[in-house]
């Protein structure tokens, strides 16, 4: 069975937006399940709804507005990144063909991190839970000062516990997995230098502090799994080039456009490799 896994990374998600638009242009959607985290999850709902250009418009538009990223607000105790505003405002302003998604054959699973246990939680998205699940998955710790609840449990950014849920896809039965990364080849996450910082920041949620301290270890182990998958699994990787210049909070239009075009080119190159020639829609 084929699965698609899309990493998050806030504004770095512009790369995946380009990849998925390339898929839509050639009506490429062979996946049994899709797994997304944070910006990877919001990119996927646009893709599975068939809304070409929606993700690009949101990242280069709404996500660049001060209502979303505001350092002054953060300095006086507010959110640095108001993900609840971003999700709901973009949902209102940029049409989402939700009926296409709900009637489609691809399941969408979104990762969050439990603030109580520090463990990854995986939710199949439906019409009832999508607002709660997407807000929770995108809630960067500290940058978003609340812990959105899903089924009564406080949650935070899914990337803290499982940033690239490819192992989850494999455990669920996928044996042909396409992974869209938001970091260039060779990247490895560094562990925090000072253990006391997460413990202080998450003093009310000690399991979350532990998860933060183990994040780099888990992330790098996932990359090793991708590079050396089990014998019965094929993993295709689509990642940004080494010169990819978009960071987590980049808002420069020219850099975001370059990131989108890099993703679009990478998506087309992938289609040339794995799919027979098709007519562009």
């Amino acid at each position: 069975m084929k699965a698609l896994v899309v990493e998050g990374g806030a504004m770095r998600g512009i790369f995946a937006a380009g990849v998925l638009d390339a898929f839509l242009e050639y009506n490429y959607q062979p996946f049994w399940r899709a797994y997304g985290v944070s910006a990877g999850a919001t990119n996927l709902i646009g893709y599975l709804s068939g809304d070409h250009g929606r993700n690009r418009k949101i990242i280069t538009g709404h996500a660049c507005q001060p209502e979303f990223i505001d350092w002054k607000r953060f300095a006086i105790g507010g959110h640095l990144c108001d993900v609840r505003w971003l999700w709901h405002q973009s949902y209102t302003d940029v049409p989402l063909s939700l009926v296409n998604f709900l009637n489609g054959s691809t399941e969408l699973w979104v990762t969050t991190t439990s603030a109580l246990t520090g463990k990854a939680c995986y939710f199949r998205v439906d019409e009832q839970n999508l607002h709660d699940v997407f807000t929770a998955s995108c809630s960067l710790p500290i940058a978003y000062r609340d812990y959105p609840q899903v089924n009564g449990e406080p949650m935070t950014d899914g990337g803290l516990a499982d940033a690239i849920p490819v192992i989850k896809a494999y455990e669920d039965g996928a044996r042909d997995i396409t992974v869209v990364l938001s970091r260039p080849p060779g990247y490895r996450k560094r562990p925090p230098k000072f253990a006391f910082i997460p413990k202080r920041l998450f003093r009310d949620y000690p399991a979350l502090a532990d998860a933060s301290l183990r994040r780099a270890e888990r992330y790098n182990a996932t990359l090793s799994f991708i590079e050396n998958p089990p014998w019965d699994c094929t993993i295709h990787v689509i990642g940004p080039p080494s010169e990819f210049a978009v960071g987590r909070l980049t808002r420069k239009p020219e850099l975001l456009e370059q990131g989108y075009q890099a993703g679009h080119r990478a998506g087309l190159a992938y289609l040339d490799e794995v799919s027979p020639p098709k007519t562009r829609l």
Side-chain angles (χ1 to χ4, degrees):
M1 291 182 286
K2 294 179 181 289
L4 174 62
V5 177
V6 182
E7 184 181 9
M11 304 301 274
R12 288 197 300 270
I14 193 66
F15 177 81
V19 172
L20 297 177
D21 273 355
F23 285 8
L24 285 174
E25 289 165 12
Y26 287 87
N27 196 30
Y28 184 76
Q29 192 171 314
F31 305 106
W32 158 66
R33 282 186 177 179
Y35 298 80
V37 182
S38 189
T42 56
N43 270 320
L44 279 170
I45 189 70
Y47 164 65
L48 295 176
S49 296
D51 292 323
H52 184 279
R54 184 178 191 272
N55 297 317
R56 181 187 193 183
K57 185 174 184 179
I58 292 171
I59 295 172
T60 61
H62 288 73
C64 291
Q65 295 181 23
E67 288 87 349
F68 176 50
I69 301 176
D70 189 334
W71 287 97
K72 291 182 180 179
R73 180 179 61 206
F74 185 63
I76 60 174
H79 304 303
L80 172 58
C81 301
D82 190 343
V83 295
R84 186 176 297 278
W85 175 87
L86 179 62
W87 169 257
H88 285 280
Q89 195 63 47
S90 61
Y91 186 85
T92 298
D93 295 343
V94 188
L96 179 68
S97 303
L98 193 59
V99 172
N100 289 344
F101 164 68
L102 295 173
N103 291 336
S105 59
T106 305
E107 299 176 7
L108 175 57
W109 289 77
V110 172
T111 308
T112 67
T113 300
S114 168
L116 300 180
T117 67
K119 295 181 179 180
C121 299
Y122 306 94
F123 297 94
R124 182 179 178 181
V125 173
D126 57 35
E127 194 171 8
Q128 284 69 47
N129 69 11
L130 81 162
H131 296 297
D132 291 339
V133 169
F134 282 113
T135 302
S137 184
C138 295
S139 297
L140 297 170
I142 308 304
Y144 188 73
R145 296 187 185 272
D146 293 338
Y147 293 92
Q149 293 198 357
V150 181
N151 297 338
E153 186 172 355
M155 299 287 177
T156 191
D157 176 28
L160 198 64
D162 191 0
I164 316 169
V166 62
I167 297 175
K168 170 64 174 172
Y170 177 78
E171 291 174 344
D172 286 348
R175 291 297 180 266
D176 188 327
I177 306 172
T178 299
V179 181
V180 182
L181 300 177
S182 62
R183 295 281 195 176
Y187 173 80
R188 286 295 188 274
K189 191 175 290 294
R190 297 179 180 178
K193 291 183 179 180
F194 305 105
F196 72 89
I197 294 179
K199 291 180 179 179
R200 180 174 298 176
L201 291 174
F202 304 119
R203 55 184 174 272
D204 294 332
Y205 296 97
L208 202 57
D210 291 340
S212 179
L213 291 171
R214 298 195 308 271
R215 183 180 186 183
E217 179 183 353
R218 283 195 303 270
Y219 186 91
N220 295 337
T222 299
L223 291 178
S224 296
F225 180 92
I226 291 171
E227 293 167 356
N228 299 281
W231 65 270
D232 61 344
C233 180
T234 299
I235 296 181
H236 312 273
V237 178
I238 307 174
S242 57
E243 67 272 15
F244 187 65
V246 179
R248 183 176 291 275
L249 299 180
T250 295
R251 287 185 285 177
K252 292 184 178 180
E254 63 275 16
L255 292 182
L256 292 174
E257 181 60 21
Q258 290 171 16
Y260 175 85
Q261 294 299 336
H264 191 261
R265 289 192 298 271
L268 294 178
Y270 170 86
L271 292 176
D272 284 342
E273 292 181 5
V274 303
S275 182
K278 294 182 178 181
T279 302
R280 184 169 179 168
L281 298 182

Short mmCIF file of all heavy atoms in Angstrom, two decimals, residues 204-226:
data_model
loop_
_atom_site.label_atom_id
_atom_site.label_comp_id
_atom_site.label_asym_id
_atom_site.label_seq_id
_atom_site.Cartn_x
_atom_site.Cartn_y
_atom_site.Cartn_z
N ASP A 204 5.26 22.96 33.99
CA ASP A 204 3.92 22.45 34.32
C ASP A 204 3.61 21.14 33.59
O ASP A 204 2.61 20.49 33.91
CB ASP A 204 2.86 23.49 33.97
CG ASP A 204 2.96 24.74 34.82
OD1 ASP A 204 3.43 24.63 35.97
OD2 ASP A 204 2.58 25.83 34.34
N TYR A 205 4.45 20.79 32.62
CA TYR A 205 4.25 19.56 31.83
C TYR A 205 5.59 18.83 31.71
O TYR A 205 6.25 18.88 30.68
CB TYR A 205 3.71 19.90 30.44
CG TYR A 205 2.35 20.55 30.45
CD1 TYR A 205 2.21 21.93 30.38
CD2 TYR A 205 1.19 19.77 30.55
CE1 TYR A 205 0.95 22.52 30.40
CE2 TYR A 205 -0.07 20.35 30.57
CZ TYR A 205 -0.18 21.72 30.49
OH TYR A 205 -1.43 22.32 30.50
N PRO A 206 6.01 18.15 32.76
CA PRO A 206 7.33 17.50 32.77
C PRO A 206 7.53 16.48 31.66
O PRO A 206 8.64 16.34 31.14
CB PRO A 206 7.40 16.83 34.16
CG PRO A 206 5.98 16.79 34.65
CD PRO A 206 5.29 17.96 34.04
N ALA A 207 6.48 15.77 31.26
CA ALA A 207 6.62 14.80 30.17
C ALA A 207 6.93 15.51 28.86
O ALA A 207 7.65 14.98 28.00
CB ALA A 207 5.37 13.96 30.04
N LEU A 208 6.40 16.71 28.71
CA LEU A 208 6.68 17.50 27.51
C LEU A 208 8.13 17.97 27.50
O LEU A 208 8.77 18.01 26.44
CB LEU A 208 5.73 18.69 27.45
CG LEU A 208 5.48 19.33 26.09
CD1 LEU A 208 4.95 18.31 25.09
CD2 LEU A 208 4.50 20.49 26.23
N ALA A 209 8.65 18.30 28.66
CA ALA A 209 10.06 18.67 28.77
C ALA A 209 10.95 17.51 28.36
O ALA A 209 11.93 17.67 27.62
CB ALA A 209 10.38 19.12 30.19
N ASP A 210 10.61 16.31 28.83
CA ASP A 210 11.39 15.12 28.45
C ASP A 210 11.31 14.88 26.95
O ASP A 210 12.32 14.51 26.31
CB ASP A 210 10.88 13.89 29.21
CG ASP A 210 11.18 13.97 30.70
OD1 ASP A 210 12.08 14.73 31.09
OD2 ASP A 210 10.49 13.27 31.48
N ALA A 211 10.13 15.05 26.38
CA ALA A 211 9.98 14.86 24.94
C ALA A 211 10.83 15.86 24.17
O ALA A 211 11.43 15.52 23.14
CB ALA A 211 8.51 15.02 24.54
N SER A 212 10.91 17.08 24.66
CA SER A 212 11.73 18.09 24.01
C SER A 212 13.20 17.72 24.04
O SER A 212 13.94 17.92 23.07
CB SER A 212 11.50 19.44 24.69
OG SER A 212 12.30 20.45 24.10
N LEU A 213 13.65 17.15 25.16
CA LEU A 213 15.05 16.76 25.30
C LEU A 213 15.39 15.58 24.39
O LEU A 213 16.53 15.44 23.96
CB LEU A 213 15.35 16.42 26.76
CG LEU A 213 15.33 17.60 27.73
CD1 LEU A 213 15.43 17.10 29.17
CD2 LEU A 213 16.47 18.57 27.43
N ARG A 214 14.40 14.74 24.06
CA ARG A 214 14.64 13.56 23.23
C ARG A 214 14.31 13.80 21.75
O ARG A 214 14.46 12.91 20.92
CB ARG A 214 13.80 12.37 23.73
CG ARG A 214 14.12 11.92 25.14
CD ARG A 214 13.51 10.55 25.41
NE ARG A 214 12.08 10.52 25.08
CZ ARG A 214 11.11 10.84 25.94
NH1 ARG A 214 11.42 11.22 27.17
NH2 ARG A 214 9.84 10.78 25.58
N ARG A 215 13.88 15.01 21.44
CA ARG A 215 13.39 15.29 20.09
C ARG A 215 14.45 15.04 19.02
O ARG A 215 14.17 14.41 18.00
CB ARG A 215 12.92 16.75 20.02
CG ARG A 215 12.32 17.12 18.67
CD ARG A 215 11.88 18.57 18.64
NE ARG A 215 11.19 18.89 17.41
CZ ARG A 215 10.75 20.10 17.10
NH1 ARG A 215 10.93 21.10 17.95
NH2 ARG A 215 10.13 20.31 15.95
N ALA A 216 15.64 15.52 19.22
CA ALA A 216 16.70 15.36 18.22
C ALA A 216 17.02 13.89 18.01
O ALA A 216 17.21 13.44 16.87
CB ALA A 216 17.95 16.13 18.64
N GLU A 217 17.07 13.13 19.09
CA GLU A 217 17.37 11.70 18.98
C GLU A 217 16.32 10.99 18.14
O GLU A 217 16.64 10.19 17.24
CB GLU A 217 17.43 11.09 20.38
CG GLU A 217 17.70 9.59 20.40
CD GLU A 217 17.67 9.01 21.80
OE1 GLU A 217 17.57 9.80 22.77
OE2 GLU A 217 17.72 7.78 21.92
N ARG A 218 15.03 11.28 18.39
CA ARG A 218 13.96 10.63 17.64
C ARG A 218 13.97 11.08 16.18
O ARG A 218 13.75 10.28 15.27
CB ARG A 218 12.61 10.95 18.28
CG ARG A 218 12.31 10.17 19.54
CD ARG A 218 10.82 10.26 19.89
NE ARG A 218 10.43 11.66 20.05
CZ ARG A 218 10.48 12.32 21.21
NH1 ARG A 218 10.92 11.71 22.29
NH2 ARG A 218 10.10 13.58 21.28
N TYR A 219 14.19 12.38 15.98
CA TYR A 219 14.19 12.91 14.61
C TYR A 219 15.29 12.26 13.79
O TYR A 219 15.07 11.81 12.65
CB TYR A 219 14.38 14.42 14.67
CG TYR A 219 14.26 15.12 13.33
CD1 TYR A 219 13.04 15.62 12.89
CD2 TYR A 219 15.37 15.29 12.52
CE1 TYR A 219 12.92 16.25 11.67
CE2 TYR A 219 15.27 15.93 11.29
CZ TYR A 219 14.04 16.41 10.87
OH TYR A 219 13.95 17.05 9.65
N ASN A 220 16.48 12.19 14.34
CA ASN A 220 17.60 11.62 13.60
C ASN A 220 17.43 10.12 13.39
O ASN A 220 17.86 9.58 12.36
CB ASN A 220 18.91 11.93 14.34
CG ASN A 220 19.20 13.42 14.38
OD1 ASN A 220 18.71 14.18 13.54
ND2 ASN A 220 19.99 13.85 15.35
N ALA A 221 16.79 9.44 14.34
CA ALA A 221 16.51 8.01 14.15
C ALA A 221 15.52 7.81 13.01
O ALA A 221 15.64 6.84 12.23
CB ALA A 221 15.95 7.42 15.44
N THR A 222 14.58 8.73 12.86
CA THR A 222 13.64 8.64 11.75
C THR A 222 14.35 8.84 10.42
O THR A 222 14.07 8.12 9.44
CB THR A 222 12.53 9.70 11.90
OG1 THR A 222 11.81 9.46 13.12
CG2 THR A 222 11.55 9.64 10.73
N LEU A 223 15.27 9.79 10.36
CA LEU A 223 16.04 9.98 9.14
C LEU A 223 16.85 8.73 8.80
O LEU A 223 16.97 8.36 7.62
CB LEU A 223 16.96 11.19 9.28
CG LEU A 223 16.28 12.56 9.34
CD1 LEU A 223 17.33 13.67 9.54
CD2 LEU A 223 15.46 12.84 8.08
N SER A 224 17.38 8.07 9.80
CA SER A 224 18.12 6.83 9.56
C SER A 224 17.20 5.74 9.02
O SER A 224 17.59 4.95 8.14
CB SER A 224 18.79 6.36 10.86
OG SER A 224 19.76 7.29 11.29
N PHE A 225 15.96 5.69 9.52
CA PHE A 225 14.97 4.74 9.02
C PHE A 225 14.67 5.01 7.55
O PHE A 225 14.58 4.09 6.73
CB PHE A 225 13.69 4.83 9.85
CG PHE A 225 12.59 3.90 9.41
CD1 PHE A 225 12.48 2.64 9.98
CD2 PHE A 225 11.67 4.28 8.44
CE1 PHE A 225 11.46 1.77 9.59
CE2 PHE A 225 10.66 3.42 8.04
CZ PHE A 225 10.56 2.17 8.61
N ILE A 226 14.54 6.29 7.21
CA ILE A 226 14.26 6.67 5.83
C ILE A 226 15.42 6.26 4.91
O ILE A 226 15.21 5.76 3.80
CB ILE A 226 14.00 8.19 5.74
CG1 ILE A 226 12.67 8.54 6.43
CG2 ILE A 226 13.98 8.66 4.29
CD1 ILE A 226 12.43 10.02 6.60
#
